[in-house]
Amino acid sequence: MQTNRLAHEKSPYLLRHAYNPVDWYPWGNEAFERARSEDKPIFLSIGYSTCHWCHVMEHESFEDPAIASLLNQHFIPIKVDREERPDVDRVYMLFVQATTGSGGWPMSVFLTPELEPFFGGTYFPPESRYGLPGFGFVLQRIAEAWREQREEIVASSRKMLEGLREQLKPEAPAAALGNESFERGFQFFRRAFDPVNGGFGGAPKFPQPSILRFLLREYARTQNLEALDMALDTLRAMAAGSICDHLGGGFHRYSIDEAWLLPHFEKMLYDQAQLARVYLEAFQLTRETLFTRVAREILDYVLRDMTGPEGEFFSAEDADSADPDQPEVSREGAYYLWRREEIESLLGPEDAERFCQAYGVTPEGNLVHDPTGEFVGKNVLYAAGETEGLEPLRALLLEARLARPRPLRDDKIVTAWNGLMISAFALGARALGETQYLEAARRAAAFALKRLRAADGSLIRCWRAGEASVAAFSEDYSCLVQGLLDLYETEFEPGYLEAAVNLTEKQLELFEDTSAGGLFSAPETASELLLRLKDDFDGAEPSSNSVTALNLSRLAQLARRPDFAQAAERIHAAFAAPLESAPGQLPELLSALAFHNASQQIVISGERGAPDTKALLQVVNSKFLPFAAVMLGDAEHWPRLGQATAYVCRNFTCLEPTTSVEKLAALLEY
């Protein structure tokens, strides 16, 4: 079968399109030069491997010879994996959102040969439907407009870009950030909170772990019970809903409805990492066993299904897979859905009745939100009743499910997401005392420091099949540094702290805006980008600026680097205006600011690995201490009272040291 240029790429998403009749190019100079030499517009298609509607548009349009002919004749088609090139994705998503009022994937953008966008959208059907114009019609009209109105198109595109550049100019500095910033953030989320179903806003509903982490910290900071209740109610609701995989562990991407009952079935590594952390933090705070069970299930799922031979973590699992009833047809959610009679045949009538009552399974199917009729007679699993004691039945169904055709797994290794997962496993090791989680964090860190670094010490973005591709972005540095710091505070191996310092220095060198503050997402060397953007939104993934601000404040204490504290303050100052006007867009940065302002240190002066040192650390690790830097001290600077000794310091003043685990526990209470 004939292939196009994407056959030479490493991204699973790009490779998926290698057999399309479309003459795809990867993002790069070869495509740009051809567009300029032939004076053709570029059709830029951006998506990712586990995107359901990306698959739909591929099947409907990019596999269609007639549409492929239009694309090949009139355009230079370029395909981009947004997970590999988030910098390209952000620039053109900004244009699509500005011109259409919304965005998403697949993203479809038409560019001049100078890469300037002039028309864009998301999914287009092959023929007009859903209120959308047919893709073939769109291609014909744009090709005609380019021939007849080229100058007007170019002028309009440049005017739009100038408008976007104007919007991106730094806002006037706001007043210094104080406690009112946290209160504004809390009130914003209070207004958005769904008191019936948990979560924030309506359908579709996303987990939003950055918001939950902020609310837990707001409770720790102020004892605001409403903040705590919003976070815990949301965590409980998600754990009960079908967005949670009750058989295999882990969470699906989001819920199509407001009650967490109809998931979009893809599973993303960054969701597992962030949700594992927030469930572990909720357990540290409340000791509620539900939270530790869910956290363990997430981490065990990642170990079982998303971990490579060297300890690296894969990116995602698809929403679509072959339908067990019709293997030649791929359907969304096919791997996860059940008919009542299937469960009865596997469990027997009595156990099946118990299970179906507990998990809401009905003969007619329980998917009430089914506009296309695709899920008739099928069931998702959600906690509709008492689920305790059903572990053996869940195990039987999981075993049967493992025999089904699995969803595609995107096995590329993304540096940022591996950093997030290292953090989750490190916290799992601390909070749960699980050595297997510590070993998982160690192996992943070793992989990252060996495979995801270039010869000059800089990071790379992705790795797959033995090859690295694309220089790293700011988020890759911030998330990996965070993972290394969390691992350092778990076992106090100096090499992790040293690597975190070196990578942070490199990150500031490559990405810091030394005039206006904050970090750009891409390095200055990315000359083909029309706009150099700063990540200013904590969404599905936390903003690089938010994570870096916290890293810098932690490193200022752990590595005794006051210059890093100053760098953190520059980030806070750069985003003071958006935090004042729209606090809901940066909850992770609010959490970083709370840490920076708190100035708390816990020093255990003892021999690493000694029983008395471990006993004191066990007390520390059992607590939710979001504003504390935890250090292992030496006897010269932190005198020992005959054995391992704990120092708790706040606002540059240390309380009386203690060797008692009971007294230490009391000192750590809020």
Side-chain angles (χ1 to χ4, degrees), residues 500-559:
V501 168
N502 292 338
L503 289 172
T504 298
E505 290 174 341
K506 176 64 75 171
Q507 180 187 20
L508 294 176
E509 173 192 328
L510 292 172
F511 302 101
E512 187 176 20
D513 182 348
T514 54
S515 59
L519 302 174
F520 292 108
S521 297
E524 196 170 12
T525 53
S527 57
E528 77 276 14
L529 295 180
L530 299 173
L531 303 169
R532 197 174 181 209
L533 303 178
K534 294 176 186 174
D535 192 1
D536 61 355
F537 182 72
D538 294 320
E541 303 167 58
S543 154
S544 172
N545 280 287
S546 300
V547 178
T548 303
L550 180 56
N551 290 344
L552 289 164
S553 295
R554 294 173 72 186
L555 281 167
Q557 299 184 51
L558 295 173

Side-chain angles (χ1 to χ4, degrees), residues 48-50 81-84 86 90 267-274 302 306 313-317 410 412-425 444 452 461-462 475-480 482-483 540-542:
Y48 57 103
S49 66
T50 59
D81 180 345
R82 68 172 294 264
E83 296 170 351
E84 190 175 57
R90 286 183 184 123
K267 284 182 170 182
M268 310 301 296
L269 183 68
Y270 55 74
D271 283 326
Q272 314 313 319
Q274 294 177 90
V302 172
M306 299 289 283
F313 302 120
F314 302 133
S315 292
E317 288 193 301
D410 186 330
K412 71 175 178 290
I413 313 305
V414 176
T415 300
W417 303 352
N418 271 248
L420 291 172
M421 204 69 235
I422 291 168
S423 287
F425 275 110
L452 302 178
R461 169 68 176 177
C462 294
E475 66 197 68
D476 296 301
Y477 286 85
S478 58
C479 292
L480 181 55
Q482 175 186 264
E541 303 167 58

Side-chain angles (χ1 to χ4, degrees), residues 247 324 335-353 355-356 361 381 392-404:
L247 299 183
Y335 185 69
Y336 300 99
L337 299 174
W338 295 89
R339 296 186 185 276
R340 167 87 184 217
E341 55 266 30
E342 287 181 272
I343 295 174
E344 290 174 345
S345 68
L346 288 164
L347 302 183
E350 186 175 329
D351 283 341
E353 180 63 27
F355 186 90
C356 291
V361 176
L381 303 182
L393 305 185
R394 289 199 298 269
L396 286 172
L397 290 186
L398 176 61
E399 183 180 359
R401 195 178 79 178
L402 290 171
R404 294 176 174 179

Side-chain angles (χ1 to χ4, degrees), residues 419-646:
L420 291 172
M421 204 69 235
I422 291 168
S423 287
F425 275 110
L427 182 56
R430 288 206 304 274
L432 305 177
E434 287 284 0
T435 56
Q436 66 168 337
Y437 297 156
L438 176 58
E439 182 59 22
R442 284 174 178 158
R443 293 185 70 217
F447 177 91
L449 295 174
K450 178 182 178 181
R451 302 286 193 192
L452 302 178
R453 278 200 296 191
D456 65 355
S458 63
L459 293 175
I460 56 99
R461 169 68 176 177
C462 294
W463 186 94
R464 183 176 183 271
E467 292 186 23
S469 64
V470 187
F473 303 100
S474 182
E475 66 197 68
D476 296 301
Y477 286 85
S478 58
C479 292
L480 181 55
V481 167
Q482 175 186 264
L484 292 171
L485 291 178
D486 287 332
L487 188 49
Y488 173 73
E489 287 193 335
T490 303
E491 60 173 348
F492 304 102
E493 168 56 52
Y496 297 134
L497 182 60
E498 181 182 352
V501 168
N502 292 338
L503 289 172
T504 298
E505 290 174 341
K506 176 64 75 171
Q507 180 187 20
L508 294 176
E509 173 192 328
L510 292 172
F511 302 101
E512 187 176 20
D513 182 348
T514 54
S515 59
L519 302 174
F520 292 108
S521 297
E524 196 170 12
T525 53
S527 57
E528 77 276 14
L529 295 180
L530 299 173
L531 303 169
R532 197 174 181 209
L533 303 178
K534 294 176 186 174
D535 192 1
D536 61 355
F537 182 72
D538 294 320
E541 303 167 58
S543 154
S544 172
N545 280 287
S546 300
V547 178
T548 303
L550 180 56
N551 290 344
L552 289 164
S553 295
R554 294 173 72 186
L555 281 167
Q557 299 184 51
L558 295 173
R560 297 184 177 88
R561 290 285 298 266
D563 57 320
F564 282 165
Q566 294 164 4
E569 289 163 4
R570 291 195 295 272
I571 294 177
H572 293 309
F575 292 95
L579 276 178
E580 184 173 354
S581 60
Q585 73 182 36
L586 285 165
E588 201 77 44
L589 188 58
L590 287 173
S591 296
L593 180 63
F595 179 96
H596 188 78
N597 291 348
S599 185
Q600 297 181 13
Q601 303 84 33
I602 300 168
V603 182
I604 306 300
S605 181
E607 296 301 320
R608 183 177 165 213
D612 53 350
T613 303
K614 285 184 174 181
L616 293 173
L617 283 172
Q618 189 173 2
V619 174
V620 174
N621 292 338
S622 70
K623 303 287 186 181
F624 178 58
L625 303 168
F627 310 127
V630 182
M631 298 172 250
L632 192 66
D634 58 65
E636 179 182 353
H637 296 93
W638 302 93
R640 295 170 189 167
L641 305 179
Q643 62 186 85
T645 303

Side-chain angles (χ1 to χ4, degrees), residues 57-69:
M57 191 165 177
E58 178 195 14
H59 177 66
E60 292 179 338
S61 294
F62 302 145
E63 293 177 355
D64 181 86
I67 287 179
S69 178

Side-chain angles (χ1 to χ4, degrees), residues 269-284:
L269 183 68
Y270 55 74
D271 283 326
Q272 314 313 319
Q274 294 177 90
L275 287 169
R277 287 182 72 195
V278 75
Y279 273 99
L280 287 165
E281 290 177 344
F283 170 67
Q284 287 178 312

